[in-house]
Amino acid sequence: MRARVLVRPKQGILDPQGQAVQRALPALGFEGVGDVRIGRLIELEVADPAQLPAMCERLLVNPLIEDYEIVEAAGAPASPLNGGAIGG
Amino acid sequence: MKFGIVRFPGSCDDVDALEAARRVCDAELLWHQDRDLKGADAVIIPGGFSYGDYLRCGAIARFAPVMDAVAEFASDGGLVLGICNGFQVLCEAGLLPGALLPNTSLRFVFRQVRLELADPDTPFTRVCPATLSIPVKHTTGRYYSPDPVHVLLRYAPGENPNGSQDDIAGVCNEQGNVFGLMPHPEHAVDPLTGSTDGLTIFESIRAHVGDRALIH
């Protein structure tokens, strides 16, 4: 299966990247933006999805500072082709 | 005594660490694929960008064959010093508590900092002065630990370059034989570059290993 691992900074961990983006959006006229957190998306093909949590705990994620969520990526690998709006 | 300095692909302060160690005793480079430490009495994991620092700083390096030997050496009480990227590697390997996060400024910082010795009674700090002047150069140096840790070095008031928790610049493990720090003592060993305070960390290790050799 093709899986997605969503990695986020743990609650309570200061995320300066998120803060910088949060400050930048209002400067572009986008109001009402709060609590921006920037993490990482890892997509991978796995023969045995049951091994995903162990992969996360041992390498993909540092559990001390990051939380993760495993999501099944349905169908073909994610690309702009099945993603709707395509940015410039 | 002899220092062993680990060289990963992407290490860049390995030669400075080698030259600094050679100012106090013998020293030799260890390759990341080595499975033994060539008889080293103390090990240095140097600064740089091991394995490109992909995924997270130090996350890949900890799986290098030489790291198994380093972990075994540490569990037997051997002295291990991790500098900058080496500190990150030791945290990722679980040999030190905590983790290093991106600087709050999101910028690479490269400057001389004043440090305060938090514990002078350790194998790594026994001949260090109460304050040291040593350079830092990193982007991912904000120390974080959810649990209390044994702090050996702190940034002096107003000197914290990265937003590190409690101004922490260097910590050791519970057993006191593994030490990691973000500042670079190997870059402060010659008056030409402004300070020789870094040399005292190498001298402390030599003194400790020398004493131990006399006891055994």
Side-chain angles (χ1 to χ4, degrees), chain A residues 14 16 40 58-60 64, chain B residues 55-56 62 98 104 142 144:
Chain A
L14 177 70
R40 188 186 304 122
R58 291 201 56 208
L59 176 63
L60 302 180
L64 197 64
Chain B
L55 192 63
R56 295 178 305 278
R62 75 174 165 113
T104 46
R142 176 169 42 117
Y144 165 80

Side-chain angles (χ1 to χ4, degrees), chain A residues 8-71:
Chain A
R8 301 182 180 88
K10 261 193 155 81
Q11 273 308 320
I13 299 269
L14 177 70
D15 174 17
Q17 273 199 90
Q19 287 184 337
V21 169
Q22 189 167 327
R23 283 193 300 268
L25 285 169
L28 294 172
F30 297 103
E31 297 299 332
V33 178
D35 197 23
V36 178
R37 310 285 284 169
I38 297 184
R40 188 186 304 122
L41 165 65
I42 303 168
E43 280 200 350
L44 63 174
E45 287 287 337
V46 283
D48 180 7
Q51 292 185 333
L52 276 166
M55 291 181 199
C56 288
E57 298 285 336
R58 291 201 56 208
L59 176 63
L60 302 180
V61 176
N62 182 339
L64 197 64
I65 50 174
E66 296 167 326
D67 287 324
Y68 66 92
E69 186 181 337
I70 297 166
V71 184

Side-chain angles (χ1 to χ4, degrees), chain B residues 1 44 60 65 68 86 135 140 181 215:
Chain B
M1 76 157 277
I44 299 175
I60 312 284
D68 288 338
T140 307
L181 76 170
I215 293 164

Side-chain angles (χ1 to χ4, degrees), chain B residues 55-215:
Chain B
L55 192 63
R56 295 178 305 278
C57 299
I60 312 284
R62 75 174 165 113
F63 297 106
V66 73
M67 286 306 294
D68 288 338
V70 171
E72 194 181 326
F73 179 72
S75 76
D76 289 342
L79 297 188
V80 179
L81 170 67
I83 303 168
C84 195
N85 190 225
F87 186 10
Q88 296 161 344
V89 171
L90 292 172
C91 286
E92 282 282 343
L95 294 174
L96 283 174
L100 281 312
L101 292 157
N103 299 347
T104 46
S105 65
L106 292 177
R107 287 172 191 272
F108 176 75
V109 289
F110 180 16
R111 65 168 184 260
Q112 201 77 10
V113 291
R114 275 183 304 114
L115 300 167
E116 291 181 348
L117 200 57
D119 186 351
D121 189 24
T122 79
F124 303 98
T125 56
R126 53 195 279 183
V127 305
C128 290
T131 62
L132 301 88
S133 173
I134 292 181
V136 290
K137 46 164 196 161
H138 60 250
T139 310
T140 307
R142 176 169 42 117
Y143 184 77
Y144 165 80
S145 171
D147 305 309
V149 288
H150 186 169
V151 180
L152 302 199
L153 284 174
R154 281 200 168 81
Y155 301 109
E159 292 278 292
N160 189 335
N162 50 35
S164 198
Q165 169 184 324
D166 300 328
D167 294 330
I168 290 172
V171 303
C172 74
N173 62 344
E174 254 179 59
Q175 295 73 30
N177 66 309
V178 180
F179 173 36
L181 76 170
M182 286 313 294
H184 287 265
E186 80 281 19
H187 296 334
V189 299
D190 194 294
L192 181 69
T193 54
S195 166
T196 57
D197 292 344
L199 206 53
T200 60
I201 290 177
F202 296 88
E203 287 167 343
S204 296
I205 295 170
R206 183 193 56 187
H208 179 83
V209 172
D211 284 358
R212 236 180 15 174
L214 289 177
I215 293 164

